[in-house]
Amino acid sequence: MADGKIYIFDTTLRDGEQVPGCKLNTKEKIELALALEELGVDIIEAGFPISSPGDFESVSEISRVIKNATVCGLSRAVQKDIETAAAALKPARRPRIHTGIGTSDYHIKSKFNSTREEILQRAIQCVKWAKNFVDDVEFYAEDAGRTDNEYLARVVEAVIKAGATVVNIPDTTGYCLPHQYGEKIAYLINNVPNVDKAILSCHCHNDLGLATANSIAGVINGARQIECTINGLGERAGNTSLEEVVMILKQHQQTLGYHTSINTKQLNPLSRLVADTMRMPVQANKAIVGSNAFSHSSGIHQDGFLKDALTYEIIAPEEVGADGSKIVLTARSGRSALAHRLHLLGYQFNRNDVDVLYVEFLKVADSKKEVEDADLHELAVQYQAVAVTA
């Protein structure tokens, strides 16, 4: 890990599919899995094999076609779950079983009616079962975000000793503040004696809108894997957004010193593919992949952008596979934006012409949400006609 590589674990096909209405069939899962591999993700969590015969088939078929990425199957800390996951992953070149159990007192007492010691033993046992089938075992400490740090450290140490190669520290409920989640990762790095024998992973939910910030805080404090989804899809308010954490790490590579293997030019195309396949539209103002991510409608912004794109864009659209920057004409737009759009349409107006046209433009802009090219053509033709008769 000395080179600063951050592993990207994509769970669009598992956690992302848990969004109501986003169920995928095997053919759709295979198509997306191949696209994720082409994107450059390191680990693809293909599903939860014991949950249904369809999911078992999907994980098995994905295992057959994926050549470079690790293929991962989820399980509970139940022997039958783990055996089923192992069977589904049998064709995989690089199989990983992802198993675990809740470690917070909320889960231990309310969900399992158990004790910390019993949960610790179950955690050790599930890793040992998984190691019988694969070398690469990831353990998840569900609700780690609300787990006592001292107890969590005991669990992490024990599962690494049992053979876990990756330990997932999920903020399952999206509860943590970034500094709290970062401090939790730092605590584990500093207090688990064998932590160097495994990779710590961030799996953050977005219930408070902090999933991306928490994941980055985790990385800064020693985690080396981020679990995320395309478009931030996932249970309830969603998961960490892959495109956001990848671009944060890329934009701040000189400061943070980390990088991923993601081909960022494929982010927007894959976002659209996932949105279409899972029938879940992307909100217009979504970072990186939203339709407005590179749109400018304020006159002040448009003027600055037209002089130098870096005044209002820290990412070039082509860097993330977007169609390009857009100057959107509204009642908030200024003369420079109007002149720019008229020029693109082939009109050659001087500054005085634009001043006159701008008055008429504002009348149109006040009557509708966005001024289209057809409106501009009409304005220009009318202006030219008046100029000729004058």
Side-chain angles (χ1 to χ4, degrees):
M1 260 68 74
D3 66 347
K5 167 71 181 284
I6 300 300
Y7 294 89
I8 297 298
F9 176 116
D10 183 276
T11 184
T12 304
L13 304 182
R14 199 277 298 172
D15 209 327
E17 196 201 22
Q18 291 173 199
V19 176
C22 286
K23 181 73 176 72
L24 298 168
N25 59 39
T26 297
K27 182 180 177 182
E28 290 169 331
K29 276 200 168 189
I30 291 172
E31 179 185 14
L32 292 181
L34 289 170
L36 287 166
E37 181 170 49
E38 187 177 353
L39 178 70
V41 304
D42 301 289
I43 304 98
I44 299 170
E45 188 163 50
F48 187 3
I50 203 166
S51 64
S52 73
D55 224 33
F56 181 96
E57 180 189 6
S58 294
V59 174
S60 183
E61 291 304 312
I62 289 170
S63 295
R64 294 181 199 280
V65 300
I66 294 300
K67 295 180 173 60
N68 299 313
T70 295
V71 179
C72 180
L74 185 73
S75 74
R76 295 165 298 181
V78 176
Q79 188 170 6
K80 182 64 175 173
D81 277 35
I82 293 167
E83 292 171 349
T84 303
L89 291 166
K90 200 166 185 181
R93 292 170 174 82
R94 296 180 178 83
R96 176 185 293 183
I97 292 176
H98 190 190
T99 188
I101 196 167
T103 54
S104 72
D105 287 338
Y106 295 98
H107 283 232
I108 292 171
K109 295 173 182 176
S110 301
K111 184 176 176 180
F112 299 113
N113 189 28
S114 187
T115 66
R116 286 185 174 186
E117 287 305 316
E118 287 175 353
I119 292 299
L120 178 62
Q121 294 309 309
R122 288 182 64 179
I124 295 168
Q125 182 62 69
C126 73
V127 172
K128 288 183 176 179
W129 281 330
K131 289 294 280 191
N132 289 329
F133 300 102
V134 295
D135 293 327
D136 190 4
V137 175
E138 178 171 343
F139 175 84
Y140 63 83
E142 190 176 8
D143 203 22
R146 296 188 296 173
T147 298
D148 171 71
N149 283 351
E150 186 177 341
Y151 175 65
L152 182 61
R154 287 181 59 204
V155 173
V156 171
E157 180 180 359
V159 297
I160 293 174
K161 185 177 180 180
T165 50
V166 180
V167 183
N168 179 7
I169 311 299
D171 185 22
T172 306
T173 60
Y175 172 77
C176 289
L177 296 172
H179 77 275
Q180 293 171 327
Y181 188 76
E183 287 168 359
K184 187 174 290 285
I185 297 296
Y187 182 89
L188 297 175
I189 293 291
N190 294 323
N191 291 277
V192 175
N194 56 357
V195 73
D196 61 314
K197 302 294 193 297
I199 292 171
L200 294 187
S201 180
C202 308
H203 181 112
C204 299
H205 280 261
N206 207 37
D207 298 71
L208 294 175
L210 295 171
T212 293
N214 283 341
S215 295
I216 297 300
V219 164
I220 290 171
N221 284 278
R224 290 297 175 264
Q225 177 177 287
I226 297 177
E227 307 193 7
C228 45
T229 61
I230 301 296
N231 300 336
L233 291 171
E235 194 82 25
R236 303 183 313 280
N239 284 49
T240 302
S241 169
L242 182 149
E243 56 274 9
E244 292 175 13
V245 290
V246 164
M247 290 312 297
I248 288 170
L249 293 175
K250 186 172 184 179
Q251 286 294 111
H252 293 279
Q253 186 171 353
Q254 285 190 325
T255 303
L256 299 178
Y258 305 124
H259 66 274
T260 72
S261 297
I262 298 299
N263 178 358
T264 62
K265 292 182 179 179
Q266 294 184 27
L267 288 174
N268 267 269
L270 185 49
S271 168
R272 290 191 290 268
L273 177 62
V274 168
D276 292 342
T277 306
M278 300 183 84
R279 299 161 289 280
M280 181 60 67
V282 178
Q283 66 193 63
N285 65 331
K286 171 75 175 63
I288 315 299
V289 295
S291 60
N292 288 343
F294 299 97
S295 295
H296 306 273
S297 67
S298 159
I300 295 171
H301 286 228
Q302 290 171 337
D303 181 62
F305 170 78
L306 290 170
K307 290 172 179 172
D308 182 349
L310 288 174
T311 56
Y312 286 103
E313 282 187 356
I314 60 169
I315 299 169
E318 55 270 18
E319 191 179 352
V320 293
D323 294 333
S325 302
K326 292 186 290 185
I327 295 293
V328 180
L329 295 182
T330 70
R332 306 285 80 79
S333 297
R335 288 170 176 77
S336 60
L338 175 61
H340 172 73
R341 282 283 291 276
L342 287 169
H343 178 73
L344 291 178
L345 293 174
Y347 296 101
Q348 303 298 324
F349 292 120
N350 61 35
R351 188 180 186 88
N352 290 334
D353 295 330
V354 172
D355 285 342
V356 176
L357 280 162
Y358 186 67
V359 175
E360 299 305 313
F361 160 78
L362 287 178
K363 293 177 183 177
V364 177
D366 274 335
S367 67
K368 56 193 307 185
K369 291 183 178 180
E370 182 178 340
V371 179
E372 306 287 353
D373 286 349
D375 301 311
L376 295 179
H377 278 302
E378 186 176 345
L379 282 173
V381 169
Q382 289 175 353
Y383 177 75
Q384 288 173 331
V386 170
V388 169
T389 57

